[in-house]
């Protein structure tokens, strides 16, 4: 089964190293990355890299470190992990 399409992703302005994910079905989640910034994800410790290389690729959040939209050179998170992260849908309604 394919998760609902991710339509927007951006760095959380309130929490360092967290991302906000908005899905086509209306769900909004927050995924906290601060405990994952080692190994392959270590380049994301740089806050500018974390914020400025974040994009959507293959229906998930991806950090396009090379800037070439080449999925083989991106860091990604499983889309179901993002969809099942902290649900903040109600927090986004003003």
């Amino acid at each position: 089964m394919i998760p609902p399409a991710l339509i927007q992703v951006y760095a959380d302005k309130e929490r360092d190293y967290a991302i906000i994910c908005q899905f086509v079905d209306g769900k909004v989640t927050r995924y906290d990355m601060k405990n994952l910034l080692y190994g392959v994800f270590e380049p994301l410790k740089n806050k500018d890299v974390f914020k400025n290389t974040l994009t959507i690729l293959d229906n998930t959040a991806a950090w396009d470190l090379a800037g070439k939209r080449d999925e083989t050179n991106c860091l990604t998170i499983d889309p179901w992990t993002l969809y099942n992260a902290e649900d903040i849908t109600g927090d986004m309604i003003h």
Side-chain angles (χ1 to χ4, degrees), residues 22-67:
Q22 296 179 324
F23 297 88
V24 72
D25 65 355
K27 186 173 183 179
V28 181
T29 64
R30 176 184 289 123
Y31 186 68
D32 191 332
M33 296 274 303
K34 71 177 167 248
N35 294 324
L36 301 174
L37 300 177
Y38 59 89
V40 70
F41 289 108
E42 195 155 348
L44 301 182
K45 283 184 178 178
N46 178 316
K47 289 182 183 180
D48 287 332
V49 171
F50 185 87
K51 292 177 185 178
N52 297 326
T53 64
L54 181 60
T55 189
I56 296 172
L57 192 61
D58 289 336
N59 197 40
T60 196
W63 286 268
D64 185 7
L65 301 179

